[in-house]
């Protein structure tokens, strides 16, 4: 059984926001409007520090800002020696860790 990949492009106000491949049958990815992204009270650097502190001995791989469960949040992926990659979600307004899971 072959998996067909489709590239979905989202354009908002004339600007290309997202071009991601998605597997057939999955919900399309949605883009976060740029005006929402400027409402973060916590900086990306502060969120990265919070994420690495949430997993002792970890290092930041990637971090991004977007909507998670209706809240503006940073999603960070961190790695620590001998542990699987962990996703840490940090609230962009309070700096609190919303979730942490491998």
């Amino acid at each position: 059984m072959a998996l067909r990949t489709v590239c979905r492009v989202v354009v908002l106000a004339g600007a290309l926001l997202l071009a991601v491949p998605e597997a057939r049958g999955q919900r399309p990815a949605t883009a976060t409007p740029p005006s929402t992204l400027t409402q973060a009270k916590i900086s990306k650097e502060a969120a990265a520090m919070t994420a690495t502190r949430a997993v002792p001995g970890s290092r930041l791989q990637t971090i991004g800002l977007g909507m998670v469960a209706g809240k503006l949040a940073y999603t960070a992926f961190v790695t620590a020696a001998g542990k699987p990659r962990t996703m840490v979600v940090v609230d962009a307004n309070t700096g609190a860790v919303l979730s942490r899971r491998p």
Side-chain angles (χ1 to χ4, degrees):
M1 180 175 179
L3 179 66
R4 192 178 108 194
T5 301
V6 177
C7 185
R8 187 164 302 242
V9 177
V10 178
V11 177
L12 181 67
L16 176 67
L17 296 179
L18 185 64
V20 294
E22 59 183 45
R24 187 176 173 187
Q26 289 181 342
R27 287 182 10 183
T30 57
T32 304
S35 61
T36 303
L37 299 179
T38 60
Q39 296 174 359
K41 294 179 183 174
I42 304 299
S43 70
K44 184 184 262 189
E45 292 77 17
M49 189 173 292
T50 300
T52 54
R53 286 181 179 163
V55 180
S58 66
R59 298 186 75 173
L60 182 70
Q61 280 188 321
T62 62
I63 189 166
L65 179 64
M67 298 299 286
V68 177
K71 291 186 174 187
L72 187 61
Y74 289 98
T75 302
F77 289 94
V78 297
T79 55
K83 295 182 181 178
R85 185 171 85 158
T86 304
M87 180 178 76
V88 180
V89 179
V90 178
D91 189 303
N93 292 316
T94 65
V97 174
L98 298 176
S99 71
R100 178 181 63 201
R101 63 177 188 240

